[in-house]
């Protein structure tokens, strides 16, 4: 299965809008107060180099993860630069180019003779934070080389990877392999600080075909710990992305089987009702946009390799709900650091009505994630085109020896409408995903203007393209429904599990809903059979009702209106607290 080259894909719709917002955020230099007498200004050169020059007064609150921010910045801009005019306006290309070259030219002179960057290290000592940051720089330098063919960047990447080879034995000791380092402020000091370098090592091998880099990646791949030892989700999930790349590079099914096994454990024990994951598996009160992006990407990659429906369904759930909830109005990405607790179905903000942007990592990594999501809206091989995510798109690509033109137009997830137009001389199968929550009998499909009953298999509806042109229109209802989420005792603990097991999700199609005003925990939410809704300026509002007591359910005069909206609209309507689980017997 092939994921399209984004230079040939013009992405619109919500994914396109959010990706452009995220990119524009990375090109601005907004000043943030951090503490008394200290402000940070991402993404100036001084800011990006501060953790390498050990200048905490110029950097972020997380300024000790050497090369982390410069590496992430170089990585995402290198990935996006070639796609001017398809993922973002052409006029932004020069600015991206200038900022990218400025960052690379600032970083390269800071490489030490040993191969690492920045502050001098004590020989024989492990540096979890520095190593984790350097992993991002390794990946970023290779991505920059791919688009620039800069021998200086490639040489620096090789020198850094050779340093990993020389110091690998340090990471095989019992001390280094502890699940987590003890001490205050060490919540993210974990063994996967090291193992997520697999991603960059495989990328470097792909660029150079020098076997020593792939061999080291294989060695580290055998050391990766299981989910029970994961602790910090972003580092663990980044490691799994690397193992997927290792499978692609080697074809060794051991690596694919390993990721699928970990997926099962994460799905059973480590996911939230939103489809996302917490930041830390020892504390469940915060999330991290980076982890949500990783989890979405892992599911998309597993879908392309296995065509197992559970992966693409999970991807859509986390993308349309938790990941989009994490995006701020300025285009950056945030975290639940405002007093919310996932065990209570709450996600909040530090400052009432304002997102607390995690510009030091999430804003960059989630932009990378959105670009990967855009690549998976459709996929194809020589005989089939799969429509995986419903989003506006136009593309021209080669399928075998023929050119294919594809247009996707949709109102999803606001309305159940999808239109596809395909032009090509060859014949092939078009497979359109049927969302898991949607009953097949409620789907109306017209093929070239005529009603058609299509085959449904493995979650996809198949239409055969035989002529030069194919036009498919699909209409289906988006209904408000109630679900009882699976809540793992592993996350919630025995007492909390019992306390929360009766809570409900309210959804509109794929979108988890929240009330736009405060609702008491004791409130009983009533979901009418055909609730009124309106869409204004691209935002959805649905009228549900609430009552104070059980007897009031039968007394319509006691009902009072409560407006609900998708939690993804947090980007455009930031609230003090998002409440997405409702304990008091949701009724329909």
């Amino acid at each position: 299965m092939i994921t399209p080259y984004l230079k040939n894909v013009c992405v619109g719709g919500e994914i396109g809008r959010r990706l452009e917002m995220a990119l524009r955020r990375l090109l601005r230099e907004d000043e943030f107060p951090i503490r008394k007498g200290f402000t940070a200004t991402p993404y100036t050169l001084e800011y990006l180099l501060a953790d390498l020059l050990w200048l905490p007064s110029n950097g972020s609150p997380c300024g000790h993860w050497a090369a982390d921010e410069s590496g992430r910045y170089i990585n995402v801009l290198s990935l996006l630069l070639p796609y001017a005019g398809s993922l973002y306006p052409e006029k932004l290309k020069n600015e991206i180019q200038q900022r990218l070259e400025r960052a690379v030219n600032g970083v390269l002179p800071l490489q030490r003779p040993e191969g690492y960057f920045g502050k001098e290290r004590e020989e024989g000592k492990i540096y979890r934070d520095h190593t984790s940051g350097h992993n991002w720089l390794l990946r970023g330098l290779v991505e920059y080389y791919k688009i620039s063919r800069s021998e200086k960047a490639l040489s620096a990447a090789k020198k850094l990877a050779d340093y990993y080879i020389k110091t690998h034995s340090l990471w095989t000791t019992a001390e280094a392999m502890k699940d987590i380092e003890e001490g205050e402020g060490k919540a993210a000091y974990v063994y996967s600080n090291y193992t997520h370098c697999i991603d960059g090592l495989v990328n470097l091998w792909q660029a150079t075909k020098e076997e020593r880099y792939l061999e080291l990646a294989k060695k580290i791949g055998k050391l990766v710990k299981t989910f029970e030892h994961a602790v910090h989700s972003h580092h663990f999930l980044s490691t799994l992305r690397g193992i997927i790349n290792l499978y692609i590079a080697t074809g060794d099914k051991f690596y694919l089987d390993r990721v699928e096994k970990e997926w099962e454990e994460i799905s059973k024990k480590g996911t939230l009702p939103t489809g996302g994951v917490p930041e830390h598996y020892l504390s469940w009160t915060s999330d991290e946009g980076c982890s949500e992006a990783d989890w979405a990407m892992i599911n998309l990659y597993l879908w392309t390799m296995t065509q197992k429906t559970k992966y693409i369904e999970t991807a859509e759930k986390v993308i349309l709900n938790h990941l989009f909830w994490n995006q701020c109005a300025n285009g950056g990405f945030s975290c639940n650091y405002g007093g919310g607790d996932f065990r209570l179905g709450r996600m909040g903000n530090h400052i009432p009505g304002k997102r607390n942007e995690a510009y030091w990592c999430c804003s960059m990594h989630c932009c990378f994630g959105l670009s990967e999501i855009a690549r998976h809206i459709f996929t194809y091989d020589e005989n089939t085109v799969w429509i995986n995510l419903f989003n506006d798109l136009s593309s021209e690509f080669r399928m075998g020896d023929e050119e294919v033109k594809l247009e996707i137009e949709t109102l999803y997830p606001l309305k159940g409408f999808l239109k596809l137009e395909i032009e090509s001389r060859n014949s092939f199968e078009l497979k359109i995903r049927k969302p898991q929550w949607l009953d097949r009998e409620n789907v109306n499909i017209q093929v070239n203007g005529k009603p058609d009953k299509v085959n449904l298999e493995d979650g996809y509806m198949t239409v055969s393209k035989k002529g030069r042109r194919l036009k498919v229109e699909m209409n289906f209802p988006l209904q408000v429904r109630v679900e009882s989420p699976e809540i793992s005792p592993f996350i919630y603990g025995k007492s909390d599990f019992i306390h929360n097991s009766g809570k409900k999700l309210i959804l509109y199609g794929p979108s988890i809903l929240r009330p736009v005003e405060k609702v008491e925990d004791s409130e009983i939410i009533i979901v009418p059979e055909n609730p009124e809704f309106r869409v204004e300026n691209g935002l959805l509002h649905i009228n549900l009702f609430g009552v104070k007591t059980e007897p009031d359910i039968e007394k319509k005069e006691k009902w009072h209106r409560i407006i609900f909206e998708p939690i993804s609209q947090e980007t455009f309507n930031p609230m003090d607290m998002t409440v997405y689980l409702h304990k008091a017997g949701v009724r329909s």
Side-chain angles (χ1 to χ4, degrees):
M1 183 179 290
I2 300 169
T3 52
Y5 184 49
L6 283 179
K7 196 169 185 179
N8 301 324
V9 177
C10 184
V11 180
E14 185 158 18
I15 293 173
R17 174 172 62 158
R18 288 180 178 272
L19 180 54
E20 185 181 335
M21 286 173 60
L23 174 61
R24 287 184 181 275
R25 167 66 193 102
L26 301 182
L27 303 180
R28 290 199 308 274
E29 297 178 356
D30 302 331
E31 190 174 85
F32 286 81
I34 303 300
R35 54 183 177 269
K36 188 175 181 180
F38 172 33
T39 59
T41 310
Y43 297 95
T44 63
L45 183 61
E46 293 77 12
Y47 173 89
L48 292 172
L49 300 184
D51 59 4
L52 288 169
L53 296 171
W54 206 248
L55 298 172
S57 61
N58 289 341
S60 78
C62 302
H64 47 85
W65 297 77
D68 187 285
E69 294 179 63
S70 55
R72 291 177 191 266
Y73 197 72
I74 292 168
N75 175 63
V76 67
L77 293 192
S78 296
L79 287 166
L80 289 176
L81 180 62
Y83 304 131
S86 57
L87 296 184
Y88 56 87
E90 181 77 35
K91 63 183 179 181
L92 293 180
K93 185 170 186 176
N94 287 340
E95 187 174 358
I96 296 171
Q97 179 92 45
Q98 291 168 7
R99 286 180 173 271
L100 180 56
E101 291 178 355
R102 183 181 68 177
V104 172
N105 291 335
V107 164
L108 291 182
L110 302 180
Q111 189 168 31
R112 302 181 69 89
E114 298 88 346
Y116 62 87
F117 290 75
K119 188 179 179 182
E120 185 177 2
R121 298 185 182 185
E122 181 182 330
E123 188 174 351
K125 181 179 178 181
I126 63 168
Y127 292 81
R128 298 183 193 274
D129 48 2
H130 289 202
T131 300
S132 179
H134 276 60
N135 294 346
W136 284 110
L137 185 56
L138 176 61
R139 180 186 168 94
L141 289 173
V142 176
E143 292 298 337
Y144 179 72
Y145 167 74
K146 288 179 183 178
I147 63 166
S148 68
R149 294 299 159 184
S150 166
E151 290 298 329
K152 288 183 178 180
L154 182 63
S155 176
K158 291 171 64 175
K159 195 173 178 181
L160 176 56
D162 289 337
Y163 174 75
Y164 280 114
I165 293 172
K166 287 184 288 186
T167 57
H168 172 65
S169 61
L170 294 176
W171 294 93
T172 62
T173 66
E175 177 65 21
M177 295 185 72
K178 290 192 302 186
D179 289 353
I180 185 169
E181 193 170 308
E182 297 176 0
E184 187 177 351
K186 301 287 187 179
Y189 284 60
V190 293
Y191 188 59
S192 50
N193 293 150
Y194 177 58
T195 57
H196 85 85
C197 70
I198 294 172
D199 199 21
L201 288 170
V202 174
N203 275 6
L204 183 58
W205 170 79
Q206 289 170 334
T208 65
K209 293 298 185 276
E210 295 185 26
E211 290 298 320
R212 65 185 184 276
Y213 303 128
L214 187 60
E215 288 305 311
L216 178 59
K218 291 178 184 178
K219 287 181 182 179
I220 298 171
K222 304 294 184 182
L223 297 175
V224 172
K225 296 192 173 189
T226 60
F227 168 73
E228 281 76 8
H229 301 274
V231 185
H232 190 259
S233 60
H234 177 34
H235 285 105
F236 180 64
L237 295 174
S238 290
T239 297
L240 294 187
R241 285 191 300 100
I243 294 178
I244 289 172
N245 274 349
L246 200 49
Y247 166 68
I248 294 170
T250 64
D252 187 342
K253 200 167 180 295
F254 166 84
Y255 299 111
L256 177 60
D257 291 344
R258 173 65 193 277
V259 176
E260 289 202 89
K261 183 178 179 181
E262 296 300 337
W263 186 94
E264 292 292 343
E265 290 298 299
I266 296 167
S267 296
K268 290 175 185 175
K269 300 177 180 179
T271 53
L272 302 163
T274 57
V277 294
E279 177 181 20
H280 209 278
Y281 285 114
L282 299 181
S283 171
W284 307 97
T285 58
S286 67
D287 68 345
E288 183 177 359
C290 295
S291 302
E292 315 315 329
D294 284 327
W295 185 228
M297 287 188 278
I298 286 169
N299 278 279
L300 292 171
Y301 300 156
L302 287 175
W303 151 249
T304 63
M305 294 169 190
T306 68
Q307 285 82 66
K308 294 178 181 177
T309 309
K310 61 185 178 182
Y311 298 133
I312 194 66
E313 291 291 334
T314 302
E316 182 186 69
K317 184 175 183 180
V318 64
I319 292 165
L320 294 185
N321 292 290
H322 204 134
L323 179 62
F324 284 178
W325 180 87
N326 280 115
Q327 191 167 26
C328 308
N330 72 346
F333 280 79
S334 182
C335 309
N336 167 48
Y337 287 147
D341 188 331
F342 291 112
R343 293 170 297 185
L344 303 175
R346 296 173 181 271
M347 302 188 287
N349 294 313
H350 268 314
I351 302 171
K354 185 177 180 181
R355 303 313 309 274
N356 182 52
E357 184 192 359
Y359 49 80
W360 51 88
C361 58
C362 298
S363 292
M364 294 177 280
H365 192 64
C366 292
C367 188
F368 163 41
L370 284 172
S371 71
E372 288 295 278
I373 291 165
R375 292 180 61 231
H376 290 80
I377 294 171
F378 78 94
T379 48
Y380 64 98
D381 63 18
E382 290 187 356
N383 303 305
T384 308
V385 174
W386 286 267
I387 307 300
N388 306 311
L389 302 172
F390 299 165
N391 192 85
D392 289 358
L393 174 145
S394 62
S395 178
E396 296 185 14
F397 59 97
R398 293 197 68 82
M399 190 175 181
D401 295 329
E402 298 293 338
E403 288 286 337
V404 179
K405 293 182 179 180
L406 170 65
E407 298 277 345
I408 302 176
E409 180 183 333
T410 183
L411 299 174
Y412 190 83
L414 298 178
K415 293 183 179 180
F417 170 78
L418 180 73
K419 182 170 76 172
L420 299 106
E421 295 190 24
I422 298 178
E423 184 176 342
S424 177
R425 289 191 297 184
N426 56 348
S427 299
F428 54 82
E429 299 289 297
L430 174 67
K431 292 183 178 289
I432 306 169
R433 183 174 65 88
K434 182 197 74 66
Q436 196 170 36
W437 49 265
L438 177 62
D439 292 334
R440 170 63 185 89
E441 55 267 26
N442 291 333
V443 180
N444 177 274
I445 289 186
Q446 290 198 336
V447 177
N448 293 329
K450 297 179 180 179
D452 198 308
K453 291 185 177 180
V454 298
N455 294 325
L456 174 64
E457 184 178 0
D458 296 330
Y460 279 71
M461 298 173 289
T462 302
V463 177
S464 295
K465 179 193 171 298
K466 297 178 181 178
R468 184 174 180 84
R469 291 180 176 84
L470 175 66
K471 181 177 179 180
V472 178
E473 286 196 12
M474 177 172 155
N475 288 276
F476 51 94
L478 294 183
Q479 297 174 329
V480 179
R481 67 188 195 283
V482 175
E483 285 186 1
S484 296
E486 294 183 10
I487 299 178
S488 167
F490 181 84
I491 293 180
Y492 285 79
K494 186 175 181 181
S495 60
D496 281 325
F497 172 65
I498 294 170
H499 175 69
N500 286 285
S501 59
K503 289 194 172 185
K504 309 286 186 181
L505 286 169
I506 304 176
L507 302 99
Y508 175 74
S511 302
I512 296 170
L513 301 180
R514 68 177 185 182
V516 300
E517 54 197 37
K518 186 176 180 180
V519 174
E520 298 297 328
D521 286 344
S522 59
E523 194 90 13
I524 300 171
I525 307 300
I526 298 173
V527 180
E529 187 173 346
N530 293 299
E532 296 179 355
F533 69 91
R534 73 179 190 276
V535 177
E536 189 174 342
N537 297 322
L539 301 180
L540 171 71
H541 290 102
I542 298 175
N543 292 337
L544 304 182
F545 297 91
V547 294
K548 300 295 184 184
T549 65
E550 289 275 351
D552 289 343
I553 294 174
E554 306 303 325
K555 302 173 183 177
K556 203 163 185 178
E557 68 275 11
K558 295 282 188 178
W559 293 11
H560 60 275
R561 187 178 67 172
I562 303 175
I563 299 174
F564 277 71
E565 68 177 7
I567 64 172
S568 61
Q569 291 180 188
E570 169 75 7
T571 304
F572 312 104
N573 180 30
M575 295 174 58
D576 298 357
M577 189 68 65
T578 287
V579 180
Y580 62 88
L581 285 179
H582 303 274
K583 180 176 182 290
V586 179
R587 303 297 173 88
S588 59

